[in-house]
């Protein structure tokens, strides 16, 4: 039986991020994707032009309907809009207890539009993240969650420790917002800390990278892969999606979700900083 996974996120009418990116990623990686819609956006590569939230009652109904019928092995969350919807999703996840819950703490769209109300950050920190097994912030999101600036590698380690203290098993702080030659992600769990690296690609077509990476990670975990292998494979998937850009739209274009079919070379390297025998 194919693994069955769930995404709880907003709709991107431009097709590059959100629910659409998640389902494309699930399909490419051979898992069966189900979805729960939290909001509808009027969005394209130039930005977010409107947001309309789905009622909390309907969000809960969707989650329960999926969970009651499908054997969901892994679940991810994306855009959740506000504290009320974050709490509703967190309560539903606590009831259903999926084996893997990947939280992508979506705060701002590529064009700069806010996708999470400021008042919702505390709900994210205290309600949702404790229900997660993995949280995948980029550096600006990690700064908000950890309550500190991140300027150095030591800062990133300290921030990861602070976010883990919120109750999540594993923190992945992505390196897409640096100017380094390599895009370096820091992964910290109780039993290991390591970095995964890929050559940085200079492109404006990076809309939906966070959604796509977290969806790929969700799919790989659903296959039963170890944390390290799942992260490496998800990093390879998003690297190829960026490398084989589509040049669509006038702004921040989408990644290419079938890019992994066009090149198979392994470009990801792993630098283990800490591990115990229990992995």
């Amino acid at each position: 039986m194919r693994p069955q996974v769930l995404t709880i996120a907003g709709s991107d009418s431009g097709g590059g991020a959100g629910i659409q990116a998640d389902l494309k990623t699930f399909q490419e990686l051979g898992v069966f994707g189900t979805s729960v819609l939290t909001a509808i956006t009027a969005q394209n590569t130039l930005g977010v032009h409107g947001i309309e939230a789905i009622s909390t009652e309907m969000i809960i109904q969707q989650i329960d309907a999926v969970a009651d019928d499908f054997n969901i092995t892994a679940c991810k969350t994306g855009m959740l809009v506000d504290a009320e919807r974050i709490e509703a999703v967190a309560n539903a996840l606590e009831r259903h207890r999926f084996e893997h819950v990947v939280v992508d703490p979506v705060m701002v769209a590529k064009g700069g539009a806010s996708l999470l109300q400021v008042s919702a950050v505390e709900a994210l920190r205290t309600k949702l993240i404790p229900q997660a097994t993995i949280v995948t912030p980029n550096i600006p999101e990690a700064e908000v969650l950890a309550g500190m600036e991140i300027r150095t590698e030591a800062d990133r380690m300290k921030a990861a420790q602070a976010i883990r203290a919120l109750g999540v098993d594993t923190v992945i702080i992505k390196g897409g917002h640096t100017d380094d030659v390599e895009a370096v992600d820091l992964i910290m769990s109780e039993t290991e800390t390591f970095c995964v690296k890929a050559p940085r690609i200079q492109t404006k077509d990076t809309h939906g990278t966070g959604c796509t990476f977290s969806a790929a990670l969700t799919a790989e975990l659903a296959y039963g892969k170890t944390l390290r292998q799942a992260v490496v494979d998800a990093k390879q998937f998003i690297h190829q999606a960026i490398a084989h850009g589509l040049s669509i739209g006038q702004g921040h274009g989408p990644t290419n979700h079938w890019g992994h079919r066009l090149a198979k070379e392994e470009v990801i390297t792993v630098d283990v900083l800490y591990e115990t025998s229990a992995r």
Side-chain angles (χ1 to χ4, degrees):
M1 184 181 295
R2 290 280 181 179
Q4 298 157 51
V5 297
L6 168 64
T7 172
I8 305 172
S11 168
D12 173 8
S13 55
I19 287 281
Q20 287 83 350
D22 294 342
L23 292 177
K24 290 174 185 178
T25 301
F26 293 158
Q27 186 74 14
E28 286 294 325
L29 292 175
V31 298
F32 183 83
T34 62
S35 60
V36 167
L37 209 60
T38 60
I40 300 168
T41 69
Q43 187 173 176
N44 55 26
T45 66
L46 296 173
V48 179
H49 306 284
I51 299 174
E52 185 170 313
I54 304 297
S55 72
T56 54
E57 293 79 8
M58 178 53 72
I59 291 171
I60 293 169
Q61 279 188 314
Q62 290 177 84
I63 296 173
D64 290 345
V66 170
D68 289 347
D69 188 38
F70 296 90
N71 181 23
I72 301 298
T73 307
C75 165
K76 67 151 289 189
T77 68
M79 174 188 177
L80 298 179
V81 186
D82 58 20
E84 180 184 4
R85 284 158 184 81
I86 289 172
E87 290 189 29
V89 169
N91 290 337
L93 293 176
E94 185 176 19
R95 283 190 289 108
H96 292 296
R97 297 197 174 277
F98 303 124
E99 182 178 355
H100 302 285
V101 175
V102 177
V103 169
D104 180 12
V106 177
M107 295 182 185
V108 177
K110 274 294 183 294
S114 176
L115 297 176
L116 183 69
Q117 294 180 8
V118 174
S119 60
V121 172
E122 189 60 20
L124 185 66
R125 297 175 79 254
T126 62
K127 302 294 184 180
L128 185 61
I129 288 178
Q131 299 300 326
T133 49
I134 300 178
V135 61
T136 64
N138 57 34
I139 289 176
E141 291 162 347
E143 289 181 327
V144 172
L145 294 176
M148 59 175 284
E149 288 190 345
I150 298 175
R151 297 291 179 267
T152 66
E153 289 304 309
D155 289 342
R156 205 188 297 200
M157 291 284 287
K158 185 177 179 180
Q161 292 168 343
I163 297 170
R164 278 202 73 241
L166 297 175
V168 63
D169 295 339
T170 300
V171 177
I172 300 175
I173 300 181
K174 298 172 294 187
H177 283 71
T178 70
D179 296 323
D180 298 336
V181 175
E182 292 182 303
V184 181
D185 300 343
L186 172 68
I187 297 88
M188 180 183 290
S189 73
E190 182 179 2
T191 58
E192 58 183 333
T193 300
F194 60 97
C195 294
V196 291
K197 307 175 183 180
R200 186 174 300 280
I201 300 165
Q202 299 302 324
T203 177
K204 67 180 179 63
D205 294 337
T206 55
H207 181 54
T209 49
C211 305
T212 299
F213 171 75
S214 57
L217 180 62
T218 302
E220 301 296 1
L221 291 169
Y223 279 114
K225 294 183 179 180
T226 64
L227 171 66
R228 195 181 301 180
Q229 191 60 57
V231 171
V232 168
D233 290 349
K235 178 82 166 177
Q236 177 77 7
F237 184 88
I238 188 57
H239 177 80
Q240 298 298 0
I242 297 170
H244 299 278
L246 297 169
S247 299
I248 291 174
Q250 303 170 62
H252 293 283
T255 63
N256 182 352
H257 292 90
W258 62 89
H260 67 111
R261 303 188 212 171
L262 304 178
K264 298 294 186 181
E265 70 273 12
E266 295 293 328
V267 298
I268 310 302
T269 59
V270 178
D271 182 12
V272 179
L273 306 178
Y274 162 82
E275 67 178 337
T276 67
S277 57
R279 279 182 51 198

